Amino acid sequence: MDSQTSQPSPASPSPRTFQVDLRGLVDLLSHHLYSSPKVYLRELLQNAVDAITARRAEQPDAPATVRLHAEDGTLRVEDSGIGLTESDVHSLLATIGRSSKRDDGLESARSDFLGQFGIGLLACFVVAERIRVVSRSARTPDAAPVEWTAADDGSYTVRTLPHSARPEPGTTVHLVARAGAGEWLSAERVRSLARDFGALLPYDVRVGDEPIADLPAPWDRSYPSPATRRVALARHCHDLFGFTPLDSIDLDVPLAGIRGVAYVLPSAVSPAQRASHRVHLKGMLLTERAEQLLPDWAFFVRCVLDTDSLRPTASRESLYEDETLAAVREALGERIRSWLTGLAAGDPERLAAFLSVHHLGVKSLARHDPEMLRTMLPWLPFETTDGRLSLEEFAQRHPVVHFTRTVEEYRQVAPIASAQGVGVVNGGYTYDSELVEALPSVRPGTVVSELDADTVTAHLDGVDPAEELALAPFLAAARARLDPLGCDVVLRAFHPLSVPALHLDDRAARHEQARADAEEQADDLWAGILGSLRGSAPRARLVLNHLNPLIRRISSLDEPDLIGTATESLYGQALLMAQRPLRPADSALLNRAFIGLLEWATHTDPGKDDRR
């Protein structure tokens, strides 16, 4: 026999069972899985409702009641659900991570149940030091009631009880508060939490003798008139979210099992602010902070809805991101879009009131949705040289729709362009330039052009060549003074007459100036790299207004230094008028020009007597 085959085979390792430190698991649940101890009551309600659902699947006429009784740091929750046998207790209550919804052929019917992860009862240890469960099975009526008692150290006991201990099928859960957690089991707190979590539950749920369900939901109730319904929903929104809405939008998506309402915020909010929505799962409040429920552009609404199709995460405090949630998000976005188009078609006053607050959200939607842009075109406001107008009205007035990409560029040219009859749209605000560029796609024949320094200069009147030639020495001195700043000087005639000078540049000129500034301050190696990037972009220019009286007086000076100082002053004033941020070199120039002008103003001719 081969020596290798004669060796004894190694013994197979014996399988072992994971050991669970219940105290550590409870700490994990309370500090990492659940956001607040209050979820213990939701888990108790969930277990009770699921037990009733399971019993009614077999006995449609079975009672459907849940009763909560809280006093002196204890809580008792009774339900008329399916109940448990002794074997069920060992299999389910003592096995972490196992859910009864996976057993007894119920996997195919899980959409009828709230819980899925088999850890709900452990949430009670967040507030309780001891849990006692007494249950009697409806499936096995002859089985004796069973008692399961567990402590937060991980130990538990199971014993059967006489039939008199639980005459009817169902389950009773007893909690005893842990030290410092008694307030969570007080009657007032239990009542408040039960109302919050269970207001839409379809069964008879009471705290003591007080019902907590408020059915049908406000959006499903019948009202005498649309106006009455609007008032009722506004009151519901105020009670729920703390504000009175501009309007309400029905969110009815039958294929996704969704019913609810979206409330339009009465004041503007930042698009970057994450909206929080209330989501109920089969009547049970799942979360008050669902952030991914709506498209990002719909930041101007807050939703409350009930669904039976969305999946919760293990903590049951947020929604699981999957294809179903993506489809629901798209469907809800379509409902909000339909509401907007309906306002545009039939209620322009309400639409105008909405857009006065939330035009930014609609613009965000319109830039990706040509149909929405086409619908909203007569309503969306834009800042223009003709005042605040819609793009539709502005395009009717001007054969070419000029626009700037930044607010600074618009401020530079708006007064001059308006005087010259050139229509300009301020595209510097969020989404505006994108919408202006999309205008030809929904309004064929419209010409859209980005306004640059060359276009503005071309619309300004030239100066008589003879006059400009006579002013050549003045222009040469002015150009020499501004050349180190990367700025040219040109002479034009334009209105209004009160504007002595106009500073014009564009993004290319600013990029080139930034590169030149960086090159000047860099070491030899970096300066060489930046120098190789030098472009041929046009430089900024200071346009002097030949029609302005001050410019005429300055141009008649014959002292190069005074001309230079005056030119620097005009340059600084033009920058300030355009509300452009000043570079250190610009600030130094303004200071130097101011001091220089003071010196010229206080200059005394030494050949004349000092007059006092």
Side-chain angles (χ1 to χ4, degrees), residues 372-392:
M372 179 58 65
L373 177 58
R374 185 178 294 106
T375 302
M376 293 289 108
L377 204 56
W379 307 101
L380 290 174
F382 289 78
E383 182 180 359
T384 78
T385 49
D386 292 352
R388 198 160 182 80
L389 300 175
S390 69
L391 286 182
E392 175 68 26

Side-chain angles (χ1 to χ4, degrees), residues 81-150:
I82 193 70
L84 301 172
T85 63
E86 182 176 359
S87 61
D88 292 333
V89 166
H90 285 289
S91 175
L92 302 175
L93 297 188
T95 305
I96 294 171
R98 189 168 186 188
S99 171
S100 61
K101 271 69 75 177
R102 295 187 176 92
D103 295 328
D104 301 319
L106 293 177
E107 178 69 25
S108 61
R110 286 177 67 186
S111 63
D112 294 332
F113 296 93
L114 299 173
Q116 298 179 12
F117 298 97
I119 58 175
L121 196 59
L122 289 180
C124 295
F125 280 119
V126 174
V127 298
E129 65 179 7
R130 187 170 74 256
I131 302 174
R132 176 170 168 257
V133 178
V134 177
S135 187
R136 182 170 182 176
S137 174
R139 289 197 183 111
T140 313
D142 296 335
V146 60
E147 177 191 71
W148 177 83
T149 304

Side-chain angles (χ1 to χ4, degrees), residues 26 29-31 33-46 68 75 77 120-128 175 178 180-186 188-198 240 277-280 284-290 315-318:
V26 169
L29 294 175
S30 60
H31 291 95
L33 185 62
Y34 297 127
S35 62
S36 168
K38 69 180 183 181
V39 298
Y40 87 91
L41 192 66
R42 183 193 66 199
E43 299 300 335
L44 288 174
L45 286 175
Q46 168 197 302
L68 297 92
L75 174 65
V77 181
L121 196 59
L122 289 180
C124 295
F125 280 119
V126 174
V127 298
L175 301 185
R178 63 169 56 248
E183 191 270 339
W184 288 103
L185 271 62
S186 67
E188 182 178 353
R189 177 58 69 91
V190 168
R191 185 180 301 108
S192 174
L193 293 177
R195 285 175 177 167
D196 201 31
F197 285 120
L240 206 60
H277 310 288
R278 289 175 64 94
V279 177
H280 295 256
M284 180 76 73
L285 179 65
L286 178 69
T287 178
E288 301 172 280
R289 299 185 299 275
S315 68
R316 292 180 40 77
E317 294 186 302
S318 59

Side-chain angles (χ1 to χ4, degrees), residues 181-433:
E183 191 270 339
W184 288 103
L185 271 62
S186 67
E188 182 178 353
R189 177 58 69 91
V190 168
R191 185 180 301 108
S192 174
L193 293 177
R195 285 175 177 167
D196 201 31
F197 285 120
L200 300 183
L201 288 175
Y203 301 136
D204 180 12
V205 182
R206 299 172 183 256
V207 177
D209 296 327
E210 181 179 342
I212 66 166
D214 187 20
L215 295 175
W219 51 85
D220 285 331
R221 295 173 190 169
S222 298
Y223 297 94
S225 68
T228 305
R229 185 176 191 272
R230 189 176 299 116
V231 170
L233 289 178
R235 187 182 304 113
H236 175 250
C237 175
H238 189 274
D239 293 342
L240 206 60
F241 294 113
F243 65 85
T244 300
L246 284 178
D247 205 351
S248 57
I249 308 168
D250 285 325
L251 302 178
D252 185 5
V253 187
L255 292 179
I258 286 178
R259 290 283 297 161
V261 62
Y263 293 116
V264 181
L265 291 167
S267 57
V269 294
S270 168
Q273 179 178 331
R274 301 295 296 179
S276 296
H277 310 288
R278 289 175 64 94
V279 177
H280 295 256
L281 181 61
K282 307 176 188 71
M284 180 76 73
L285 179 65
L286 178 69
T287 178
E288 301 172 280
R289 299 185 299 275
E291 295 183 348
Q292 67 273 49
L293 186 65
L294 295 181
D296 290 340
W297 56 261
F299 55 84
F300 49 84
V301 298
R302 296 292 180 269
C303 295
V304 53
L305 56 82
D306 188 25
T307 176
D308 59 17
S309 63
L310 299 179
R311 292 175 56 196
T313 57
S315 68
R316 292 180 40 77
E317 294 186 302
S318 59
L319 298 172
Y320 187 79
E321 185 67 51
D322 58 9
E323 293 181 357
T324 302
L325 179 56
V328 166
R329 184 161 48 234
E330 182 177 349
L332 295 180
E334 183 58 37
R335 286 292 303 116
I336 298 174
R337 182 187 289 107
S338 299
W339 169 79
L340 283 171
T341 55
L343 287 186
D347 201 339
E349 290 185 2
R350 286 172 64 196
L351 177 63
F354 166 75
L355 289 178
S356 67
V357 178
H358 295 298
H359 58 274
L360 198 59
V362 179
K363 287 181 177 180
S364 173
L365 171 60
R367 66 195 177 117
H368 296 304
D369 189 333
E371 188 58 37
M372 179 58 65
L373 177 58
R374 185 178 294 106
T375 302
M376 293 289 108
L377 204 56
W379 307 101
L380 290 174
F382 289 78
E383 182 180 359
T384 78
T385 49
D386 292 352
R388 198 160 182 80
L389 300 175
S390 69
L391 286 182
E392 175 68 26
E393 186 175 358
F394 187 82
Q396 290 174 357
R397 296 184 182 186
H398 299 278
V400 178
V401 178
H402 293 286
F403 73 98
T404 63
R405 291 192 182 275
T406 68
V407 175
E408 291 79 8
E409 290 173 352
Y410 177 79
R411 288 170 177 168
Q412 287 181 55
V413 303
I416 309 303
S418 180
Q420 304 303 125
V422 179
V424 184
V425 178
N426 184 358
Y429 296 115
T430 306
Y431 311 134
D432 283 8
S433 61

